[in-house]
Amino acid sequence: MQVFGQFIATVGWLGLALVASELGATLIHWLGQWVGFRLIGARIVRITGFRLQLSRVRGHWKLERPLTRHPHIVAAPPADAKRFNHAIYCFGGGLFNLLTVMLSLITLNQFKFSFDLWLFAFIIWIWVNTLKAAQLLPMNLHGYPTAGQEFRQARESTAAMTAAYVTACAAAVKVQTGSVRDLDASMIVMPRDGGNRNYLVVRQAWLILEWGLQHGLDTPELLAGLSRLEPSFNTLPPADLAKYLDATLYWNLVTNHRDPQIIAWYQDDGVQQLLRRYQPLAHYKLTAVYEWRVHQQPEQALALIEKGLKIAQRLHDEEEIAWLKALRVQVTA
């Protein structure tokens, strides 16, 4: 029993070392991103991590509690597109973690640890920072592409780099205003020869749909433009694919375009699993519109909308609240 107790105590200390290492490595990653953004004139508008986020909304910092978010920082790119440095956006945080790994290895070489537990804790610290530097496990577990994948995709073409800048601007505007409506109209132009296999270009296409809807443009035409990028489904990171599918399914159903392909996608188990994992709050909106349009059950749809609204309000998700309220108005009309 004494040996078992020592084993449990050791595992407990190592677990604590893992948690502390993750916290420390994330802080270092944020610091690296902050320094990089400052160097290129970008402004930080959101800091997210550990199921909390601090966002600059309409000029004021606001503490929020999202349903699920990976640790990251959102920054508004410089107004001058020539100052936009995509490498800083991709590798600023990882570079600081890499420097931490190098310094830690030098320290490990200089000291001799008399107690093995401390050695294991130090190895955990180095390993966690290595993962942060490479952004392999942390990003992929959340369905997002790694920094290397983002950088490689942007270098494929001028259109992809343009899409990287435009979508970064859109992300910052959305944090500050709750929508992309205020985005400059000159950015809502798909670049020529962008290809449909580059997921940065697909992100910009989805952004055009969102911007167009908020400005009252013709929905069928916007959906037709988005549908041209269907061959990209297999190239999208899971988080992007979930957002893309959610938008495609929702707006087709809202506008009563109940094509067999749309119904088949909604009913597909793989699609549902993907949406539940990466777009959990959007599940209520999508299920409600399906019950309303396909099953002709407005009462069931309204019940799902109310349930979704309660969760969205608890999580302070203003965007989802707006979509759910707009859908409720349509269902009750």
Side-chain angles (χ1 to χ4, degrees), residues 279-309:
Q279 291 285 316
L281 194 52
H283 162 76
Y284 297 98
K285 173 179 84 248
L286 189 56
T287 307
V289 75
Y290 185 83
E291 291 294 330
W292 175 43
R293 288 301 195 187
V294 179
H295 288 164
Q296 303 294 317
Q297 295 289 334
E299 295 82 7
Q300 183 68 21
L302 289 172
L304 286 164
I305 290 170
E306 293 303 324
K307 188 174 181 180
L309 274 172

Side-chain angles (χ1 to χ4, degrees), residues 51 64-67 281 310-317:
R51 299 182 69 84
E64 301 167 326
R65 189 178 183 276
L67 185 64
L281 194 52
K310 289 180 180 179
I311 297 175
Q313 288 166 351
R314 187 170 71 244
L315 298 173
H316 306 290
D317 193 323

Side-chain angles (χ1 to χ4, degrees), residues 3-281:
V3 173
F4 180 74
Q6 290 177 344
F7 173 76
I8 294 297
T10 302
V11 170
W13 281 110
L14 291 177
L16 182 61
L18 178 60
V19 172
S21 297
E22 175 63 25
L23 288 170
T26 300
L27 291 174
I28 291 170
H29 194 83
W30 282 341
L31 177 62
Q33 288 184 306
W34 179 80
V35 171
F37 291 149
R38 292 287 294 177
L39 288 175
I40 63 174
R43 295 181 296 104
I44 293 176
V45 296
R46 171 172 286 171
I47 303 172
T48 301
F50 312 111
R51 299 182 69 84
L52 292 172
Q53 66 184 20
L54 190 64
S55 303
R56 189 170 180 80
V57 181
R58 296 178 179 86
H60 301 282
W61 287 100
K62 180 180 179 182
L63 185 63
E64 301 167 326
R65 189 178 183 276
L67 185 64
T68 175
R69 289 288 189 275
H70 66 286
H72 69 287
I73 289 179
V74 177
D80 183 2
K82 294 180 180 179
R83 292 193 64 189
F84 177 69
N85 189 317
H86 192 242
I88 291 293
Y89 274 76
C90 293
F91 301 117
L95 179 60
F96 267 53
N97 287 116
L98 181 60
L99 291 174
T100 300
V101 170
M102 295 172 63
L103 292 173
S104 299
L105 289 172
I106 292 172
T107 304
L108 182 64
N109 190 48
Q110 295 295 321
F111 292 94
K112 293 182 179 180
F113 292 88
S114 58
F115 186 39
D116 288 343
L117 182 59
W118 289 110
L119 175 61
F120 283 131
F122 204 70
I123 291 173
I124 288 173
W125 164 251
I126 294 173
W127 175 242
V128 170
N129 274 281
T130 302
L131 290 176
K132 284 289 183 182
Q135 285 192 328
L136 293 176
L137 185 60
M139 297 298 286
N140 284 337
L141 282 178
H142 291 280
Y144 294 90
T146 65
Q149 290 169 331
E150 291 275 290
F151 185 71
R152 186 170 61 252
Q153 287 279 308
R155 289 176 65 86
E156 284 188 356
S157 65
T158 302
M161 183 61 76
T162 300
Y165 175 72
V166 169
T167 51
C169 291
V173 169
K174 199 167 187 176
V175 168
Q176 297 174 88
T177 65
S179 73
V180 296
R181 184 183 182 88
D182 294 335
L183 199 65
D184 194 318
S186 64
M187 294 185 178
I188 310 301
V189 178
M190 282 294 289
R192 294 182 178 181
D193 303 320
N196 61 359
R197 292 288 180 179
N198 187 293
Y199 64 73
L200 293 175
V201 176
V202 177
R203 284 181 189 172
Q204 188 176 358
W206 184 85
L207 170 64
I208 292 171
L209 167 68
E210 190 175 14
W211 188 92
L213 290 168
Q214 291 172 4
H215 281 268
L217 301 184
D218 191 51
T219 305
E221 288 187 9
L222 292 168
L223 291 171
L226 195 64
S227 65
R228 285 197 295 268
L229 296 173
E230 287 174 13
S232 299
F233 272 18
N234 293 331
T235 69
L236 289 172
D240 280 86
L241 179 57
K243 183 183 291 187
Y244 182 76
L245 282 170
D246 175 64
T248 302
L249 292 171
Y250 179 74
W251 286 108
N252 271 287
L253 291 172
V254 162
T255 54
N256 215 16
H257 293 144
R258 295 174 291 174
D259 298 335
Q261 186 182 35
I262 296 298
I263 303 301
W265 279 346
Y266 179 89
Q267 295 175 344
D268 185 84
D269 291 338
V271 170
Q272 287 295 329
Q273 184 178 3
L274 187 77
L275 292 172
R276 282 194 296 269
R277 179 172 182 181
Y278 298 110
Q279 291 285 316
L281 194 52

